[in-house]
Amino acid sequence: MTSEAPAPDRPILQIEYCRQCRWMLRAAWMAQELLTTFEDELGGITLMPGTGGIFEVRHGAAVVWSRKEEGRFPDITELKQRVRDHIAPDKPLGHADRKRPADP
């Protein structure tokens, strides 16, 4: 078995979640989904407990998703698209890139 050295040039995301609201499992699931989708592009994801209803995904100083600003949690497909736009704009996401037809 070979192991790859850590890639310091790969971006690391932060997911800050409200521990009072018990959103750790949601944050961990989203981290798993992002790490699976961006396994070659990401250097890691840090889960950061917070308070006050926070749920933010950040890439450095850039806020990728803010529950407070958006008024809701992200759909995982939407979050993957936003993360892609920040860290790997040329990466195709397959079916996640397809737009759904407008509802009648």
Side-chain angles (χ1 to χ4, degrees):
M1 181 188 302
T2 62
S3 67
E4 251 182 70
D9 58 329
R10 292 184 192 173
I12 296 176
L13 299 179
Q14 300 87 35
I15 300 178
E16 186 173 0
Y17 63 91
C18 181
R19 62 180 172 75
Q20 295 167 314
C21 301
R22 304 283 188 222
W23 290 339
M24 183 178 67
L25 288 177
R26 181 186 305 250
W29 175 74
M30 288 189 178
Q32 173 204 332
E33 287 288 319
L34 293 170
L35 286 167
T36 300
T37 299
F38 300 101
E39 63 187 355
D40 294 328
E41 293 83 12
L42 281 174
I45 297 178
T46 303
L47 298 180
M48 302 168 48
T51 58
I54 191 164
F55 193 90
E56 283 189 356
V57 179
R58 294 186 291 268
H59 172 225
V63 176
V64 177
W65 186 273
S66 169
R67 181 182 166 274
K68 183 177 181 180
E69 289 177 21
E70 301 289 339
R72 61 186 174 84
F73 285 101
D75 173 88
I76 194 61
T77 300
E78 184 177 21
L79 183 57
K80 287 178 182 183
Q81 290 168 341
R82 288 200 189 182
V83 167
R84 184 264 320 271
D85 293 347
H86 277 266
I87 67 164
D90 296 328
K91 181 180 179 71
L93 294 177
H95 69 279
D97 277 334
R98 292 188 204 127
K99 302 231 183 251
R100 294 182 201 164
D103 291 337

